[in-house]
Amino acid sequence: MANLTTKLRLPDLKKTQWQILAGPVLILMILAMMVLPLPAFALDTLFTFNIVLSLMILLVAMFTQNTLDFSSFPIVLLFSTLLRLALNIASTRIILMKGHTGAAAAGRVVEAFGHFLVGGNFAIGIIVFAILIIINFMVITKGAGRIAEVGARFVLDGMPGKQMAIDADLNAGLIGEEEAKRRRREVTQESDFYGSMDGASKFVRGDAIAGLLIMAINIVGGLVIGILQHDLSFADAAQTYTLLTIGDGLVAQIPALIISTAAGVIVTRVATETDVGEQMVGQLFNSPRVMLLSAGVIGLLGIIPGMPNLVFLLFTTALLGLAWWLRGQQMQEPHRLKPSASQESSALSEAAHISEASWSDVELEDVLGLEVGYRLIPMVDNTQDGQLLTRIRGIRKKFAQKMGFLPPAIHICDNLDLKPTAYRIMLKGVEIGGGQVNPERWMAIDPGCAEGELDGLPGLDPAFQLPAVWIDEVLRERAQTMGYTVVDPASVIATHLNHLIEMHTDELFSRQETQQLLERVTKEMPKLVEDFIPGTLSLSLFHKVLQNLLAERISIRDIRTIIDTLAEHAGTQSDADELTAQVRIKLGRAITHQWFGSQSDIAVIGLAPKLESLLIQATQNSSALEPGIAEKIVEQTGEAIREQSTQGGTPVLLVNQPLRLMLSRFLRRVYPQLVVLSNYEISPDRTVHMSYTIGGGQ
């Protein structure tokens, strides 16, 4: 199979090798023509090739249906211009060196253009050459350059709208991801093309100016060389060198005029499913009324004495015949388009089939979503070097490594209802957070220790509500030296998204993630999960236990310990909360390390003995606490959290095992950042200090 693959790939490699070398070889040939003297036959060959190349370029431009189908035109224009200039240099060298030998000194092509096309009269040749230069320089090239300039401006201005239209079609399900990528790529290529054409048109204008200068240099230089070096009379020298120069100029400017016309065709055409010829014929010769009016005007002119009556009347007859034929075609068109009864019934049944709703019309809600305003679209577009998508991929990967499961993919779309610089984060279709960022500035966040003030727009860090300032990038290093944390706009959104994902971890872990986690464990440790689900534990109960752990930000990476503990206690316990408590005790070392790291002495918040006894009694009797006691606990917990935060520690409340679940559910509704642990979950090698006691003060 490997040999077959190699054989299949070798022809493709051979096919593309000459294409890869075409550009460098052409450049080397052009440089060689500028430096090395060429014989007359070589000049004939190259001048003919230049004419053929220009005709091919014009025909390709005429038959192109879409501008981007000939996206290589700017570089082709550059190479063809260099080729003409190189030929001018080569022909100038041979004209000045051998022009005294006769009209064929620079080859048969130059001789033909100098004698046959202008009748051997150098005055006529100069006038014809000047007219070609004026047409090329003042009319075609100038117009094409202006159109390219305006086209580039409008294409760039319309890029955001086109991007949003593509995203809207993608979100509506009208197109798929691949089609959306293709359209975005086309939008980018279109802007690049018109920008390149705006600059490439300057090549042709420069080529026309160079043609004038080269002609003047050849005539003056030829006269000097012919008279002083070859003892020719002024009239003979003028006749010989001027005709050779005119022939050389015409043989170069006619291809230049053709390529300039091709440039004008490329930038003036409107993208349709037809080429230029079909557009012109289909739109010019489409109306019988236009033909009749034109025939009437030409016919009236044709009967005026002194006019070329025969020619005018011939055109009148042709236009009348064309109008009659078009009228007949239009009268037959409705009959051809009118459907039969069977076709009508088929169309009606097809329309009924299309309008019938199906389950494919039901759109499921995305678990995680990010909506952005239109000014933030470049941040989520890879074609515009948007970094937010890369950050989001990094967030998902880091989260999976930290928490032990892969979060759902984040669906990103634009929302025109949002402010241009706003964004919002959705969880199952409901907004859980949002904010505004300035895409042209950086956010300098004051972590509480920054010194001095910065010039910028005041704001808040959307993730942690810290005071911040939007500053210019030039102030970035200064802000860092002053103690500010400086982040780019993509990092602001990514940090906020990461924070909200961590706050809602349990809601992201569904039965689907549970099943995928089991499949992952089965591949690595098949014996561990053998007969575990559903033999020992149901999938629903297993999912609930894992969700309980994630709700309090406990990682489930140690799935081996979790499954072993559940398998041990599932026979005697079927309550998810009790099973979760047993798993937490087994994970005590990991939990302690998660919140305290490698500290041997740990500071925690505790409960006063009287309050603890009161709470244990209320729990055993299943009775409610008095409102005053509950309010006091909430108030003092807030004071304890602030005290712990000022000391740089994690706000951890350490209680007896029977109280842990009840206090966690009660207090974490008010203080989500609070961690509630039981005394069984602390590693025995740690020394515990009470930094604050609820119900008894510090």
Side-chain angles (χ1 to χ4, degrees), residues 159-397:
M159 277 189 68
K162 291 180 181 180
Q163 295 281 7
M164 288 189 287
I166 294 170
D167 292 336
D169 289 346
L170 178 62
N171 297 333
L174 301 178
I175 59 175
E177 287 286 349
E178 292 300 323
E179 177 67 15
K181 291 179 181 178
R182 187 188 65 80
R183 291 189 184 181
R184 292 192 187 102
R185 188 163 54 248
E186 281 187 359
V187 171
T188 305
Q189 289 176 349
E190 189 177 18
S191 65
D192 293 341
F193 174 80
Y194 279 98
S196 299
M197 282 300 301
D198 184 23
S201 60
K202 305 299 188 295
F203 294 136
V204 184
R205 297 187 65 184
D207 181 34
I209 297 173
L212 281 173
L213 296 176
I214 290 172
M215 183 186 72
I217 292 170
N218 281 349
I219 292 175
V220 175
L223 288 173
V224 172
I225 292 174
I227 295 172
L228 298 181
Q229 293 186 4
H230 301 293
D231 298 327
L232 297 177
S233 65
F234 181 82
D236 292 339
Q239 178 73 15
T240 301
Y241 285 99
T242 303
L243 281 177
L244 285 172
T245 301
I246 294 301
D248 176 44
L250 290 175
V251 81
Q253 284 306 310
I254 288 177
L257 182 64
I258 294 173
I259 292 180
S260 299
T261 305
V265 170
I266 284 289
V267 297
T268 55
R269 65 166 289 118
V270 178
T272 63
E273 295 181 356
T274 58
D275 56 46
V276 175
E278 291 174 328
Q279 284 184 17
M280 292 190 300
V281 173
Q283 297 174 17
L284 278 177
F285 303 99
N286 190 38
S287 174
R289 186 180 302 174
V290 173
M291 300 298 109
L292 287 173
L293 292 174
S294 301
V297 173
I298 295 296
L300 290 175
L301 292 175
I303 61 177
I304 297 175
M307 287 287 184
N309 308 99
L310 179 61
V311 176
F312 278 29
L313 291 176
L314 283 176
F315 270 97
T316 301
T317 305
L319 289 171
L320 288 173
L322 182 60
W324 176 80
W325 181 78
L326 289 174
R327 180 64 176 168
Q329 292 291 110
Q330 291 182 357
M331 291 181 66
Q332 294 178 9
E333 195 72 20
H335 297 287
R336 287 200 299 265
L337 294 178
K338 186 176 180 180
S340 62
S342 60
Q343 289 175 330
E344 287 182 351
S345 60
S346 175
L348 289 174
S349 62
E350 184 178 354
H353 176 71
I354 292 175
S355 61
E356 185 69 29
S358 66
W359 278 104
S360 61
D361 298 323
V362 178
E363 294 187 5
L364 302 180
E365 196 67 69
D366 294 310
V367 179
L368 278 173
L370 173 63
E371 297 180 354
V372 297
Y374 72 85
R375 285 192 61 196
L376 304 185
I377 290 176
M379 295 173 59
V380 295
D381 187 358
N382 280 333
T383 62
Q384 303 184 51
D385 295 329
Q387 297 297 315
L388 187 53
L389 289 178
T390 304
R391 306 280 172 83
I392 290 175
R393 294 190 190 102
I395 287 172
R396 294 184 70 226
K397 186 173 183 179

Side-chain angles (χ1 to χ4, degrees), residues 12 76 91 97 117 145 208 234 332 350 380 394 410-411 472 556 587 615 641 663 673 691:
D12 295 336
V76 171
S91 60
M97 289 175 60
L117 292 184
F234 181 82
Q332 294 178 9
E350 184 178 354
V380 295
I410 300 169
H411 181 73
D472 293 328
I556 58 174
L587 294 175
L615 293 175
I641 291 174
L663 287 176
Q673 72 273 31
S691 61

